[in-house]
Amino acid sequence: MVQTHEKTATSPVNIAVIKYWGKRDTDLILPTNSSISVTLSKEHLQSKTTIRASPLFEKTRLWLNGIEEINLINNKRIQNCLRETKLLRKDYEEKLGKEIGMDNVLSLSTYNLHICSENNFPTAAGLASSASGFACLVYTLSQLYELPVSATELSKIARQGSGSACRSLFGGFVSWQMGSKRDGSDSQALQIASSDHWPELEALICVISDAKKGTSSTEGMQSTVKTSTLLQHRIDNVVPERMKLMTDSILRKDFSKFAELTMKDSNQFHACCLDTFPPIFYLNDTSRAIISVITEYNDKSGECKAAYTFDAGPNAVIYALKQNIPEIINLIFKFFPPSRENLTFFSDPFKLFSDRKIGNLPLPANFNENIIPIFPNDSVKQIIHTCVGNGPRVKNDESLLNSDGFPKNLKK
Ligand code: DP6
């Protein structure tokens, strides 16, 4: 009987608080600045990947969300991740061969693979699905190949799938050191603090649009590199200092400083998009209204209680301390109400509103209710409440492949 070898693992989403925007090498995916992110709990947002290796598979194949088979021939980024991980396995096999004899080593590096990957959140929601997806691909393969390498080593491979993916190899608070070497060997992710370092910190994702984005981050950032003088100023004069201040605010659990830096960095990233020629707009009216509401909330609270941040799309991510989350959900609900039919608006995973209704909490004293109009129903489609979480994990009892090695949920 031919033996098959399989591993399943899950990986988290990360949301940057110091943004990565710009590449100095587009093939190796080397950034023009370092960045910092927070890893979110896999409980609410995750990618899951099963990889099986078999000498019987005719070619390597990959299915996404049980629907779409991806054409790997044209996908350089996936090819790069598969090649680099296989090379590590080949080295490992040679090393093992020297110790125990080549005949006793399983030549997994020569087998074709069947890969199935799923997200538990809509890929089209504009959430960072490529980061968790590529991190999961590389991590699952490293487990299948039993590679004796660190998460930082793996981050250099995941980076070649999608830059931000390198930060999803760790839980908690993560930095991506841009590095300076031309071969990218020092452009890697490192953990600043683990997921249990600051348990009071939580996040609200406000899903504003589930439409596919206009300008992808890959295209957008290179257009900014070519045309924006503000980006050069950011790279030279702003990010290096901010990296230090942000790391320090995380280690000291100083929410007020963390919030100020997070909002300023999101603002500057979107300013660089506007400074791109022709300009790139990721924020829409709802995004900007959320900025106004949070600004007024912080102002009238007399302290920074919430921090907004936006990636390459209109969705807002709001970081806040646990005790202020109900008040913030209440605010969003008030200004961006859901329609009656919208049953998925807020699922309340932490049971915050079991005995009270959202929308009934008082606003902070002197809150200017005219700061923005009440928006049309479902301008914010969904609020996902989540917390800081761990890095990738093996889940062998949750295979996505059937006994023949095809996706269990394949929709024909
Ligand atoms: C705005 O990692 O998606 O989310 O490296 O081209 O795949 P590629 O880009 P990607 O860019 C993410 C940009 C961002 C900021 C961030 O996550 O740091």
Side-chain angles (χ1 to χ4, degrees), residues 241-373:
E241 181 66 7
R242 238 173 228 177
M243 286 292 292
K244 287 190 214 144
L245 294 173
M246 182 60 91
T247 303
D248 187 58
S249 76
I250 291 168
L251 292 176
R252 285 190 298 108
K253 298 189 255 186
D254 178 346
F255 184 78
S256 172
K257 195 70 199 165
F258 171 87
E260 181 197 320
L261 291 166
T262 297
M263 291 188 281
K264 281 186 171 170
D265 206 71
S266 172
N267 294 347
Q268 189 176 67
F269 151 49
H270 289 279
C272 288
C273 292
L274 194 61
D275 190 46
T276 303
F277 194 76
I280 308 166
F281 306 108
Y282 288 122
L283 306 183
N284 63 18
D285 288 350
T286 311
S287 323
R288 283 185 290 269
I290 289 181
I291 296 180
S292 302
V293 167
I294 298 295
T295 304
E296 175 69 5
Y297 171 66
N298 285 336
D299 195 33
K300 295 296 154 60
S301 301
E303 59 176 316
C304 231
K305 283 185 169 177
Y308 58 78
T309 184
F310 298 83
D311 283 337
N315 297 330
V317 176
I318 300 170
Y319 287 113
L321 296 178
K322 202 189 278 297
Q323 70 263 25
N324 299 320
I325 292 275
E327 221 171 60
I328 299 165
I329 294 172
N330 184 68
L331 259 185
I332 301 292
F333 182 90
K334 231 175 148 63
F335 287 98
F336 309 94
S339 61
R340 270 174 190 280
E341 303 78 57
N342 184 349
L343 303 176
T344 52
F345 180 72
F346 178 58
S347 66
D348 201 3
F350 296 87
K351 304 279 166 275
L352 299 176
F353 292 93
S354 44
D355 54 350
R356 49 190 173 170
K357 273 188 90 172
I358 314 179
N360 283 354
L361 299 186
L363 299 179
N366 302 324
F367 190 98
N368 176 5
E369 294 200 38
N370 297 321
I371 192 85
I372 57 155

Side-chain angles (χ1 to χ4, degrees), residues 14-21 23 29 35-37 77 128 130-131 134 159 161-165 167 176 213 216-219 221 269-270 282 310-313:
N14 73 77
I15 300 291
V17 287
I18 302 290
K19 303 293 185 192
Y20 145 56
W21 196 251
K23 295 182 185 70
I29 312 199
S35 54
I36 295 181
S37 60
R77 290 172 167 219
S130 69
F134 273 106
R159 189 201 74 221
S162 180
S164 54
R167 298 183 310 235
W176 173 10
K213 329 180 225 194
S216 74
S217 34
T218 306
E219 286 168 49
M221 66 174 81
F269 151 49
H270 289 279
Y282 288 122
F310 298 83
D311 283 337

